[in-house]
Amino acid sequence: MSKPPAALRLDRLLANLGYGSRRDVQALVGAGRVLLDGVPVAEADGRIALAPDLPDRMTVRGRPLDPLPGLILMLNKPLGMTCSHKEAGPLVYSVLPERWRRRDPAISTVGRLDKETSGLLLMTDDGGLLHRIISPKSNVPKRYVATLDRPLRGDEAALFASGTMLLDGEEKPLLAAELEVLEPKLARLTIHEGRYHQVRRMFAAAGNHVVELHRDRMGGLDLPADLEPGQYRLLAAADIAAIFAGG
Ligand code: URA
């Protein structure tokens, strides 16, 4: 994980968290709307230690301070949302509080899910952590549940596990992937890389068609059953460790 700074000027911290410009933040502090341990902070330009308990000790306009830089969260991505900062249409970022969308460093998705794929999507403002999760060296497996148009033939598990399967237009074979057949038209597939539309293209190469796709696990981290589509949860250190423990 990249190390966030140990201390920052208060106006810089709050501006980076999206509370407004430094001038806005200075006005907030001047109006006594920023409290530390219940006491109004006097100086907007004083340095403040970025201790993990700061959001429990500081309030802004009467509400707990937002998560400090270095956050990672999991979202149960709903269908129909795009993992992009730029494209038109509903974006996954729209589920986050508005202020979180003005943070610097910005919150980005850890890899992507297609617009029509649901399930476990990680989002972070920590570039170092993001790269560690998606790096092939970390081998963080991703598990999907696919609903298929036609019954499985029976040879797909061997094909996907072969390590020699080629996708249309590609020259590098896919890494071996594990298929578990749950029902004739329902399967779980665990992959160890992240090529464009990979799961849909793998089933297409096996003569089938994915009608629904849902990611339910990354590494050893499961999407909790009580996290509804569109809901998100901040991850704790143990959850982050679990991501890397499932390889
Ligand atoms: N494979 C796909 O085809 N789509 C996804 O969203 C993820 C993996």
Side-chain angles (χ1 to χ4, degrees):
M1 228 184 297
S2 42
K3 256 194 152 46
L8 216 54
R9 275 174 60 132
L10 179 63
D11 52 1
R12 165 61 59 210
L13 171 66
L14 296 187
N16 286 358
L17 292 178
Y19 285 93
S21 65
R22 276 165 83 166
R23 190 171 283 229
D24 296 334
V25 170
Q26 284 157 9
L28 261 180
V29 172
R33 306 299 311 277
V34 180
L35 308 188
L36 183 62
D37 298 327
V39 179
V41 178
E43 308 281 340
D45 61 359
R47 285 177 78 78
I48 184 116
L50 300 188
D53 65 349
L54 189 60
D56 301 324
R57 297 175 53 206
M58 181 169 274
T59 59
V60 181
R61 297 192 198 94
R63 310 291 299 265
L65 180 68
D66 286 347
L68 295 179
L71 70 75
I72 176 161
L73 59 88
M74 65 164 128
L75 166 70
N76 184 353
K77 178 192 170 295
L79 293 173
M81 285 193 176
T82 305
C83 294
S84 160
H85 279 292
K86 295 187 198 102
E87 281 167 47
L91 306 181
V92 288
Y93 301 100
S94 67
V95 305
L96 301 179
E98 224 240 301
R99 187 168 51 241
W100 293 23
R101 289 180 256 153
R102 288 187 258 117
R103 291 169 65 110
D104 177 16
I107 298 175
S108 300
T109 65
V110 178
R112 288 180 172 208
L113 288 176
D114 299 338
K115 188 173 179 185
E116 294 312 329
T117 302
S118 58
L120 175 52
L121 181 70
L122 300 176
M123 300 170 88
T124 183
D125 63 355
D126 183 337
L129 178 59
L130 187 155
H131 285 107
R132 198 152 74 86
I133 297 171
I134 63 175
S135 163
K137 276 194 232 143
S138 300
N139 182 21
V140 172
K142 288 162 288 219
R143 193 175 79 179
Y144 296 85
V145 179
T147 306
L148 302 162
D149 190 34
R150 288 182 275 283
L152 289 150
R153 299 186 302 222
D155 61 346
E156 295 88 349
L159 175 67
F160 294 167
S162 66
T164 57
M165 185 178 178
L166 280 178
L167 289 178
D168 239 9
E170 294 191 3
E171 284 172 10
K172 192 171 167 226
L174 289 174
L175 294 174
E178 297 86 49
L179 183 79
E180 261 177 278
V181 178
L182 304 174
E183 290 173 22
K185 293 192 199 174
L186 189 70
R188 260 202 295 254
L189 178 62
T190 302
I191 61 175
H192 300 267
E193 55 200 325
R195 303 199 198 174
Y196 181 67
H197 289 174
Q198 181 169 338
V199 173
R200 293 175 201 276
R201 290 165 73 209
M202 287 173 75
F203 281 104
N208 214 320
H209 175 72
V210 171
V211 288
E212 277 174 34
L213 191 59
H214 178 79
R215 182 158 71 193
D216 68 351
R217 176 181 276 185
M218 285 182 74
L221 182 71
D222 285 307
L223 185 69
D226 61 353
L227 195 67
E228 302 289 333
Q231 289 187 333
Y232 62 88
R233 185 172 293 174
L234 288 172
L235 298 191
D239 302 312
I240 300 172
I243 298 170
F244 295 103

Coordinates of all heavy atoms in Angstrom, one line a residue, residues 77 112-118 142 144 191 193-202 210 213-215, ligand 1:
K77 N -22.0 -3.8 -7.3 CA -22.3 -3.0 -8.5 C -23.6 -3.5 -9.1 O -23.8 -4.7 -9.4 CB -21.2 -3.2 -9.6 CG -21.5 -2.4 -10.9 CD -20.6 -2.8 -12.0 CE -21.0 -2.3 -13.3 NZ -22.3 -2.8 -13.8
R112 N -12.4 -3.3 -13.9 CA -13.7 -2.9 -14.4 C -14.6 -4.1 -14.4 O -14.2 -5.2 -14.6 CB -13.7 -2.3 -15.8 CG -13.0 -1.0 -15.8 CD -13.0 -0.5 -17.2 NE -12.6 0.9 -17.2 CZ -12.9 1.8 -18.1 NH1 -13.7 1.5 -19.1 NH2 -12.5 3.1 -18.1
L113 N -15.9 -3.8 -14.3 CA -16.9 -4.8 -14.7 C -17.7 -4.2 -15.8 O -17.9 -3.0 -15.8 CB -17.9 -5.1 -13.5 CG -17.3 -5.9 -12.3 CD1 -18.3 -6.0 -11.2 CD2 -16.9 -7.3 -12.8
D114 N -18.2 -5.0 -16.7 CA -19.0 -4.5 -17.8 C -20.3 -3.8 -17.3 O -20.7 -4.2 -16.2 CB -19.5 -5.7 -18.7 CG -18.4 -6.5 -19.3 OD1 -17.3 -5.9 -19.5 OD2 -18.7 -7.6 -19.7
K115 N -20.8 -3.0 -18.1 CA -22.1 -2.3 -17.7 C -23.1 -3.4 -17.3 O -23.9 -3.2 -16.3 CB -22.6 -1.5 -18.9 CG -23.7 -0.6 -18.6 CD -24.0 0.3 -19.8 CE -25.2 1.1 -19.6 NZ -25.6 1.9 -20.7
E116 N -23.2 -4.5 -18.0 CA -24.2 -5.5 -17.7 C -23.7 -6.6 -16.8 O -24.3 -7.7 -16.9 CB -24.8 -6.0 -19.0 CG -25.6 -5.0 -19.8 CD -26.6 -4.1 -19.0 OE1 -27.2 -4.7 -18.0 OE2 -26.8 -3.0 -19.3
T117 N -22.7 -6.4 -16.1 CA -22.2 -7.3 -15.1 C -22.4 -6.7 -13.7 O -22.2 -5.5 -13.5 CB -20.7 -7.6 -15.2 OG1 -20.5 -8.1 -16.6 CG2 -20.2 -8.7 -14.2
S118 N -22.9 -7.6 -12.8 CA -23.2 -7.1 -11.4 C -22.1 -7.6 -10.4 O -21.3 -8.5 -10.8 CB -24.6 -7.5 -10.9 OG -24.7 -8.9 -11.0
K142 N -10.5 -14.0 -9.6 CA -11.8 -13.4 -9.6 C -12.8 -14.5 -10.0 O -12.7 -15.2 -11.0 CB -11.8 -12.3 -10.7 CG -11.0 -11.1 -10.2 CD -10.7 -10.2 -11.4 CE -9.6 -10.8 -12.2 NZ -8.6 -10.0 -12.8
Y144 N -16.8 -15.6 -10.9 CA -18.0 -15.2 -11.5 C -19.1 -16.3 -11.5 O -18.7 -17.4 -11.6 CB -17.8 -14.8 -12.9 CG -16.8 -13.6 -13.1 CD1 -15.4 -13.8 -13.1 CD2 -17.3 -12.3 -13.2 CE1 -14.5 -12.7 -13.2 CE2 -16.4 -11.2 -13.3 CZ -15.0 -11.4 -13.3 OH -14.2 -10.4 -13.4
I191 N -11.2 -17.0 -12.7 CA -10.2 -16.6 -13.7 C -9.0 -15.9 -13.0 O -9.2 -15.4 -11.9 CB -10.7 -15.8 -14.9 CG1 -11.3 -14.5 -14.4 CG2 -11.7 -16.6 -15.7 CD1 -11.7 -13.5 -15.5
E193 N -6.8 -13.7 -14.6 CA -6.3 -12.5 -15.3 C -7.6 -11.7 -15.6 O -8.7 -12.1 -15.2 CB -5.6 -12.9 -16.6 CG -6.4 -13.8 -17.5 CD -5.6 -14.6 -18.5 OE1 -4.6 -14.1 -19.0 OE2 -6.0 -15.8 -18.8
G194 N -7.4 -10.7 -16.4 CA -8.6 -9.8 -16.6 C -8.6 -9.2 -18.0 O -8.4 -8.0 -18.2
R195 N -8.9 -10.1 -19.0 CA -8.9 -9.6 -20.4 C -10.3 -9.0 -20.7 O -11.3 -9.4 -20.0 CB -8.6 -10.7 -21.3 CG -7.2 -11.3 -21.0 CD -6.6 -12.0 -22.2 NE -5.6 -12.9 -21.7 CZ -5.0 -13.7 -22.5 NH1 -5.3 -13.9 -23.8 NH2 -4.0 -14.5 -22.0
Y196 N -10.4 -8.2 -21.7 CA -11.6 -7.6 -22.1 C -12.8 -8.6 -22.3 O -12.6 -9.5 -23.1 CB -11.3 -6.8 -23.4 CG -12.5 -6.0 -23.9 CD1 -13.0 -4.9 -23.2 CD2 -13.1 -6.4 -25.1 CE1 -14.1 -4.2 -23.7 CE2 -14.2 -5.7 -25.6 CZ -14.7 -4.6 -24.9 OH -15.7 -3.9 -25.4
H197 N -13.9 -8.4 -21.6 CA -15.0 -9.2 -21.7 C -14.7 -10.7 -21.6 O -15.3 -11.6 -22.2 CB -15.7 -9.0 -23.0 CG -16.5 -7.7 -23.1 ND1 -17.0 -7.3 -24.3 CD2 -16.7 -6.7 -22.2 CE1 -17.6 -6.1 -24.1 NE2 -17.4 -5.7 -22.8
Q198 N -13.7 -11.0 -20.7 CA -13.1 -12.4 -20.7 C -14.1 -13.5 -20.5 O -14.1 -14.5 -21.3 CB -12.0 -12.5 -19.7 CG -11.3 -13.8 -19.7 CD -10.1 -13.9 -18.9 OE1 -9.4 -12.9 -18.6 NE2 -9.7 -15.1 -18.5
V199 N -14.9 -13.4 -19.5 CA -15.8 -14.5 -19.2 C -16.8 -14.7 -20.3 O -17.1 -15.8 -20.8 CB -16.5 -14.3 -17.8 CG1 -17.6 -15.4 -17.6 CG2 -15.5 -14.2 -16.7
R200 N -17.4 -13.6 -20.8 CA -18.4 -13.7 -21.9 C -17.7 -14.3 -23.1 O -18.3 -15.2 -23.8 CB -18.9 -12.3 -22.3 CG -19.8 -11.8 -21.2 CD -20.2 -10.3 -21.5 NE -20.6 -9.6 -20.3 CZ -21.8 -9.7 -19.7 NH1 -22.8 -10.4 -20.3 NH2 -22.1 -9.0 -18.6
R201 N -16.5 -13.9 -23.4 CA -15.8 -14.5 -24.6 C -15.4 -15.9 -24.4 O -15.4 -16.7 -25.4 CB -14.6 -13.6 -24.9 CG -15.0 -12.2 -25.4 CD -13.8 -11.2 -25.4 NE -12.8 -11.5 -26.4 CZ -11.5 -11.2 -26.3 NH1 -11.1 -10.7 -25.2 NH2 -10.7 -11.4 -27.3
M202 N -15.1 -16.3 -23.2 CA -14.7 -17.7 -23.0 C -15.9 -18.6 -23.3 O -15.8 -19.7 -23.9 CB -14.2 -17.9 -21.5 CG -12.9 -17.4 -21.3 SD -12.3 -17.4 -19.6 CE -12.0 -19.2 -19.4
V210 N -23.5 -15.9 -22.5 CA -23.7 -15.5 -21.1 C -24.9 -14.6 -21.1 O -24.9 -13.5 -21.8 CB -22.5 -14.9 -20.5 CG1 -22.8 -14.3 -19.1 CG2 -21.4 -15.9 -20.4
L213 N -24.2 -12.1 -15.7 CA -22.9 -12.4 -15.1 C -22.8 -11.5 -13.8 O -23.1 -10.4 -13.8 CB -21.9 -11.9 -16.1 CG -20.4 -12.3 -15.8 CD1 -20.3 -13.8 -15.7 CD2 -19.5 -11.8 -16.9
H214 N -22.3 -12.2 -12.8 CA -22.2 -11.6 -11.5 C -20.8 -12.0 -10.9 O -20.5 -13.2 -10.9 CB -23.3 -12.2 -10.6 CG -23.4 -11.7 -9.2 ND1 -23.8 -10.4 -8.9 CD2 -23.0 -12.3 -8.1 CE1 -23.7 -10.3 -7.5 NE2 -23.2 -11.4 -7.0
R215 N -20.1 -11.1 -10.3 CA -18.8 -11.4 -9.6 C -19.1 -11.5 -8.1 O -19.6 -10.6 -7.5 CB -17.7 -10.4 -9.9 CG -16.4 -10.8 -9.2 CD -15.2 -10.1 -9.9 NE -15.2 -8.7 -9.6 CZ -14.4 -7.9 -10.3 NH1 -13.6 -8.3 -11.3 NH2 -14.4 -6.6 -10.0
Ligands
URA1 N1 -15.7 -10.9 -17.9 C1 -16.7 -10.3 -18.6 O1 -17.0 -10.8 -19.7 N2 -17.3 -9.3 -18.1 C2 -17.0 -8.7 -16.9 O2 -17.6 -7.7 -16.5 C3 -15.9 -9.3 -16.2 C4 -15.3 -10.4 -16.7

